[in-house]
Amino acid sequence: MGNISRRQFNRRLSQGIAGSALFSSVPLACAMAGTKSREESLGIALVGLGSYSTYQLAPALQDTKFCHLAGIVTGTKAKERIWAERYGIPAGNIYNYQNFDTIADNDDIDVVYVVLPNSMHAEFSIRAAQAGKHVICEKPMAVTVAECDAIIEACRKAGVKLGIGYRLHSEPYTQEVKRFVREKTFGKTAYVNAEAAYRSAGNPDQWRLNKALSGGGALMNMGVYSIQSTIYATGENPVKVTAQEFSTRPDYFKDTDETVTAQFQFPGGATGTVFTSHNANANSLYASCTGGWFSLKPANNYGPLAGESSNGPIQFKHESQQKLQMDDFASHILYGSVNRAPGEMGKRDMIIIEAIYRSISEGNRSVPLELGNMGLV
Ligand code: NAD
């Protein structure tokens, strides 16, 4: 890496001041050939070693091209040894929530990936940015719009990149839907219906059912997928939303929303309906357009997804969505490729979520939204 450290190199890249001489020192051909040198593979530290980190992100990081699992941050002592042994993580790259900030001194870690309960996203994303690390923050980005603003500002101030864990933007079925809309393959979208739901019957004390930790129920957890679907199936942000909440198991869903439906109006004239629930299974996207239709079913699980359109089946080879997502973000940092899920996208979705909760709490009235092109990628 010559006479500058990897950390200086990555920071300069993120600030866009690396210069052509430095860019040419990145052996891209080597990456293309599937081999990695330390300079072209960013070190990721996962914060929170729960189900998503354990079963999706860490395995995916074994196959990524432009990043690798370099460190962990956990509040559970027993996990330190298990993860160290499984993934060969050196003791110096293992942190807990208290000493996390000293990650600033660790050149092996370029990116911190926050995979904690929703109410902890803001604190750890901000601490990661202040430590000079690029940040991936899981969805939903935070539990309020104000927290989203604070994360964006901390990353801006530190000169680090920020991505949201919206894996679908890196997978080919979703990208195909976005292409249909961009190229008007089926004309203009007139109506879109999106569903994202699963039936929860597990431990009633889990954090997802505890508003202080989750910020909300089905809408926060699954609703973001259906909101996102309506946006990429129209290519626009909604200008108005009306919403309803349904509760059939109040003994189980004591603290958080069970089922939410919402209706959107889009500036180009399309209407959209959204269903999200922790009490039923649903996973689809359907769009009716002026010259045909397209649909994905399933539309938002880990894949393989499946799709159809008025032109016939939509088919792509399945790859780990998490692998694609993390490589996209690393490539954004290293090579300046597009950030497929920037912080503004997470903030926009939180504005919509807050508007939906407002509509519900104010007697299902229609709530106007002034989003412009915020978060449209
Ligand atoms: P999980 O419950 O399996 O793991 C949560 C982790 O946080 C655990 O390691 C737990 O020990 C730790 N933790 C720290 N403080 C905690 C506290 N006060 N209460 C509870 N846990 C605490 O959850 P998960 O499924 O891994 O979800 C983590 C985050 O990832 C959430 O924000 C979730 O929305 C997101 N997620 C995203 C996707 C996706 O497809 N993008 C999928 C699953 C989860």
Side-chain angles (χ1 to χ4, degrees):
M1 198 75 272
N3 55 7
I4 68 160
S5 73
R6 279 187 73 246
R7 180 150 27 125
Q8 285 170 316
F9 174 72
N10 285 323
R11 194 163 292 156
R12 288 187 196 184
L13 277 179
S14 83
Q15 292 169 344
I17 54 174
S20 56
L22 273 174
F23 269 104
S24 65
S25 78
V26 175
L28 186 56
C30 173
M32 296 298 193
T35 55
K36 287 182 197 176
S37 75
R38 281 294 290 126
E39 286 75 22
E40 71 197 9
S41 174
L42 301 181
I44 293 196
L46 296 174
V47 187
L49 306 180
S51 151
Y52 196 54
S53 287
T54 304
Y55 300 111
Q56 302 302 327
L57 297 177
L61 280 165
Q62 307 315 301
D63 292 326
T64 36
K65 272 196 232 158
F66 303 123
C67 52
H68 60 277
L69 180 60
I72 51 172
V73 185
T74 176
T76 311
K77 194 81 195 149
K79 288 182 186 169
E80 294 183 4
R81 192 174 52 79
I82 296 169
W83 279 67
E85 280 173 11
R86 187 176 301 159
Y87 293 113
I89 298 169
N93 292 1
I94 298 177
Y95 297 85
N96 57 45
Y97 302 140
Q98 287 71 42
N99 68 16
F100 169 62
D101 308 276
T102 62
I103 207 165
D105 303 322
N106 191 332
D107 265 3
D108 289 350
I109 314 289
D110 304 288
V111 180
V112 165
Y113 194 152
V114 179
V115 203
L116 290 162
N118 309 340
S119 67
M120 300 170 77
H121 290 184
E123 179 194 335
F124 280 84
S125 296
I126 291 167
R127 285 170 69 181
Q130 286 170 346
K133 305 301 179 186
H134 303 289
V135 179
I136 309 178
C137 173
E138 254 315 321
K139 48 63 52 180
M141 181 172 173
V143 296
T144 63
V145 174
E147 283 188 351
C148 296
D149 279 330
I151 297 173
I152 291 169
E153 176 56 15
C155 290
R156 191 200 58 76
K157 217 167 147 191
V160 297
K161 304 286 192 186
L162 169 62
I164 308 302
Y166 285 139
R167 56 189 158 74
L168 292 171
H169 287 270
S170 294
E171 75 79 39
Y173 287 85
T174 305
Q175 289 177 345
E176 184 72 343
V177 163
K178 290 168 85 169
R179 186 183 71 80
F180 290 158
V181 171
R182 201 171 50 244
E183 296 180 2
K184 297 202 171 21
T185 312
F186 302 101
K188 235 172 92 174
T189 304
Y191 167 69
V192 54
N193 172 252
E195 302 175 330
Y198 67 85
R199 183 174 160 82
S200 175
N203 175 7
D205 296 325
Q206 62 184 285
W207 67 261
R208 281 190 173 84
L209 305 181
N210 174 341
K211 193 167 181 213
L213 286 166
S214 62
L219 182 61
M220 280 277 182
N221 185 26
M222 300 304 289
V224 286
Y225 293 110
S226 46
I227 291 168
Q228 285 245 324
S229 290
T230 63
I231 292 171
Y232 51 70
T234 56
E236 295 178 330
N237 287 327
V239 288
K240 203 185 269 185
V241 63
T242 309
Q244 305 79 34
E245 181 180 357
F246 303 90
S247 170
T248 62
R249 292 161 64 201
D251 47 322
Y252 183 73
F253 299 104
K254 287 191 181 75
D255 202 25
T256 57
D257 44 283
E258 172 188 318
T259 298
V260 169
T261 52
Q263 301 78 45
F264 291 122
Q265 191 179 311
F266 290 89
T271 51
T273 59
V274 156
F275 170 84
T276 188
S277 178
H278 273 163
N279 191 46
N281 295 314
N283 182 352
S284 66
L285 160 64
Y286 170 79
S288 171
C289 310
T290 48
W293 57 272
F294 55 85
S295 80
L296 299 182
K297 190 172 184 173
N300 44 56
N301 59 0
Y302 302 150
L305 302 187
E308 262 190 279
S309 76
S310 44
N311 285 351
I314 305 168
Q315 274 172 330
F316 292 99
K317 180 174 153 276
H318 177 64
E319 277 188 274
S320 157
Q321 297 171 356
Q322 290 80 9
K323 178 190 108 164
L324 296 171
Q325 171 214 327
M326 290 186 282
D327 265 343
D328 271 346
F329 187 66
S331 151
H332 168 60
I333 295 166
L334 287 169
Y335 307 120
S337 59
V338 67
N339 184 352
R340 294 190 191 277
E344 289 69 23
M345 186 185 278
K347 172 183 167 179
R348 174 205 61 198
D349 295 347
M350 194 57 53
I351 292 173
I352 296 171
I353 285 173
E354 286 191 353
I356 289 175
Y357 282 134
R358 191 172 325 129
S359 172
I360 291 167
S361 71
E362 295 178 5
N364 315 114
R365 78 171 176 90
S366 152
V367 175
L369 288 157
E370 287 178 16
L371 297 165
N373 288 333
M374 185 190 293
L376 291 178
V377 176

